[in-house]
Amino acid sequence: GPRSLFDVVLPMMDGVRGLLRLLRRRWRACSVCVIFAFLVYAVLREVPEHAEFVAPPAPPPRWHYPMSVQEESDPGLPYRICPKGTHAVTKKAFLHDHDCSVLQNWTWSVNQDKGWASEKSCDCMPRVLVYTWTTENTFYMFRSDIYWKMCYAHMHGFDLVIIDGGNGASASWSYNDDLVWGWFQPIQKYLEQDYDYLFFTGGDYLITERNIKFPIWAWSLGHDLTVMDQQWTEFGFNENALVFRLSGDRSWIHRFLDMLHEYRYGTYLQGDNGPYMETILRALGRELEEDGQPGYDGHCASQGLVLDMPASKLFKEDFDTYRKKNTVFSACFFNTLEALTGPGNQRRSKRIGFSSLYDPKMPWANCWLAMRHLPNAKEMCFGMHWTGMDKPDHRQVEGRCPDPSFEPIWAASPHNRVEKS
């Protein structure tokens, strides 16, 4: 017979109640998701844009040691060909055979497709000048560092120049704006001499015995200037351990240094280091402009580079302000550097090479304050740069040069200075 109203309504009500129960359970699940998403957002928004650099894990190398990442631009030979034996090796250095092996592996991996590998022999090795500018007090304070620089050059058959900049500050190290520019003028004449590479370091730079076999020219990727890549720290991109390729375009090197020298007589962040960072950006910008791309408009210069007083004075009198200015300028620098060249350890430039921190076969050239505390620094650091105020006392030589023929040279060297009591 015909169905009553209740027969129709009651099942509908049961269905509505079931739907509400289902929605209630789903709402509980959704509310949990919403709360979790909000907590994740709250945590992430507290993370600074630039966290402190942590040593990256070393992935499998992407190229054969030490193959260039820039070979597609044909940067040129990694060393100069000896014309008719003019620059042939006349006396084998202690590490000649080791360096020969590195050179042959390099030539083969990079240039075999160009037919160069079969033409090269180790009768002609790269000619290198290790250049250090220092002051008289630094000779005493970092005597061990000078010892290991001399040992390194002797073992590889490199030339070494240590420029004595005079009395400097005092018997103790002092951050001084005039001193930090002291290296600039003396280096000019050596840039014109008959070398393939010039390796520039400061007086407070120790070459480690662990990585002393590494020839500095193996960092060069065929660029006019090679520096160790760095990631963000509040004190910027540190200037040390620069590899100038003199067998390439020396005119570019002079233009780069002339650009840097424009800041010599002003008051700038970190003395010469802030201008060094700004010069890198300007040089990279010009490179892009030459290729018809947008360059660098100089906007970081207004982000703390220019100071109202010498950096050394601000450092001593108002360190908090000094630190804040470094943080602001460094953030601008690294963001702009990435925009011009790509992300860290993947940077691309025809003129400036950035030695990767990821390649386990490439030691770190410049272990300054931001690098020395990293867990793998002991294994990876080629050179310790004693930035910061906690400089070690290296008046006494620590360790002994692996080449026994070096000891008489050190004993008779004018650079072996013992502080008078």
Side-chain angles (χ1 to χ4, degrees):
R3 301 174 63 184
S4 68
L5 180 63
F6 290 102
D7 292 335
V8 176
V9 172
L10 287 178
M12 291 179 62
M13 293 179 64
D14 290 339
V16 169
R17 282 196 294 267
L19 179 61
L20 290 175
R21 284 195 299 270
L22 178 62
L23 290 174
R24 194 178 299 118
R25 287 196 297 269
R26 293 291 179 88
W27 170 248
R28 290 195 193 102
C30 289
S31 63
V32 171
C33 294
V34 169
I35 293 171
F36 178 77
F38 178 80
L39 290 175
V40 171
Y41 169 76
V43 171
L44 290 178
R45 74 188 296 239
E46 295 299 323
V47 177
E49 182 180 358
H50 297 287
E52 182 179 3
F53 170 53
V54 178
R62 293 173 297 169
W63 54 81
H64 296 293
Y65 165 59
M67 183 175 178
S68 169
V69 298
Q70 195 68 23
E71 68 272 9
E72 68 275 6
S73 66
D74 191 15
L77 292 171
Y79 55 90
R80 179 176 295 173
I81 302 173
C82 297
K84 299 181 179 179
T86 305
H87 304 288
V89 174
T90 57
K91 181 180 179 181
K92 283 190 175 183
F94 185 79
L95 289 175
H96 176 271
D97 292 343
H98 171 269
D99 290 354
C100 173
S101 176
V102 174
L103 184 65
Q104 289 178 332
N105 289 337
W106 186 6
T107 305
W108 178 253
S109 62
V110 178
N111 299 323
Q112 58 178 332
D113 60 323
K114 301 178 182 179
W116 293 342
S118 61
E119 302 173 8
K120 304 296 169 279
S121 75
C122 293
D123 292 334
C124 173
M125 299 295 289
R127 293 160 296 174
V128 176
L129 175 66
V130 179
Y131 173 92
T132 292
W133 186 93
T134 187
T135 56
E136 183 178 355
N137 57 303
T138 311
F139 274 100
Y140 303 130
M141 291 180 60
F142 300 106
R143 182 166 169 257
S144 186
D145 303 44
I146 291 173
Y147 172 91
W148 283 105
K149 284 191 187 84
M150 292 181 61
C151 167
Y152 175 80
H154 178 72
M155 291 175 65
H156 288 273
F158 299 160
D159 288 345
L160 174 75
V161 169
I162 301 179
I163 302 296
D164 186 343
N167 291 329
S170 64
S172 62
W173 180 263
S174 176
Y175 179 20
N176 181 294
D177 282 49
D178 288 331
L179 288 181
V180 297
W181 283 98
W183 63 273
F184 189 88
Q185 200 59 42
I187 202 175
Q188 302 300 318
K189 71 174 183 179
Y190 296 104
L191 293 172
E192 297 303 322
Q193 296 186 7
D194 202 17
Y195 292 103
D196 300 306
Y197 296 94
L198 185 148
F199 181 51
F200 164 64
T201 71
D204 56 343
Y205 181 87
L206 172 69
I207 296 176
T208 63
E209 184 175 1
R210 181 182 184 91
N211 288 306
I212 200 169
K213 290 184 177 181
F214 183 82
I216 64 97
W217 44 260
W219 274 312
S220 176
L221 309 178
H223 300 81
D224 299 304
L225 170 64
T226 299
V227 300
M228 185 191 75
D229 201 357
Q230 301 173 42
Q231 297 189 21
W232 188 89
T233 68
E234 61 183 329
F235 288 105
F237 198 99
N238 187 255
E239 174 194 23
N240 212 318
L242 312 183
V243 179
F244 293 101
R245 179 175 174 258
L246 303 184
S247 55
D249 185 357
R250 296 194 189 197
S251 64
W252 182 92
I253 295 173
H254 284 295
R255 290 195 300 272
F256 179 88
L257 293 177
D258 288 345
M259 200 184 306
L260 175 60
H261 195 254
E262 294 174 11
Y263 303 93
R264 169 63 182 89
Y265 297 105
T267 52
Y268 298 99
L269 199 64
Q270 296 188 41
D272 66 334
N273 202 95
Y276 165 72
M277 294 162 64
E278 182 71 5
T279 301
I280 288 177
L281 297 182
R282 290 175 61 188
L284 292 170
R286 288 189 179 184
E287 178 184 321
L288 291 175
E289 289 172 355
E290 291 172 357
D291 290 339
Q293 303 178 52
Y296 169 60
D297 60 6
H299 63 276
C300 287
S302 62
Q303 303 294 313
L305 175 62
V306 183
L307 303 179
D308 296 328
M309 64 179 73
S312 54
K313 182 177 175 63
L314 181 62
F315 178 88
K316 296 173 184 176
E317 296 182 359
D318 189 354
F319 182 74
D320 287 342
T321 297
Y322 179 82
R323 186 170 191 167
K324 289 176 183 177
K325 286 182 176 292
N326 273 279
T327 301
V328 172
F329 180 70
S330 295
C332 184
F333 170 82
F334 280 101
N335 287 333
T336 306
L337 180 65
E338 181 168 330
L340 295 173
T341 65
N345 297 296
Q346 301 177 42
R347 306 195 196 279
R348 291 292 185 271
S349 165
K350 294 179 181 178
R351 297 293 191 175
I352 302 177
F354 296 87
S355 178
S356 174
L357 299 175
Y358 282 94
D359 190 340
K361 295 187 178 70
M362 290 289 189
W364 300 345
N366 181 21
C367 286
W368 62 294
L369 183 62
M371 305 285 294
R372 297 197 303 267
H373 71 283
L374 298 177
N376 47 346
K378 184 177 180 180
E379 292 74 26
M380 295 302 299
C381 286
F382 172 86
M384 296 291 192
H385 181 198
W386 306 115
T387 50
M389 300 305 293
D390 56 339
K391 295 182 182 294
D393 186 340
H394 282 177
R395 289 176 172 85
Q396 300 299 320
V397 174
E398 300 176 4
R400 282 293 176 265
C401 182
D403 183 355
S405 69
F406 172 70
E407 293 305 324
I409 296 173
W410 171 248
S413 173
H415 302 316
N416 180 11
R417 304 182 188 181
V418 179
E419 194 169 16
K420 297 179 181 178
S421 58

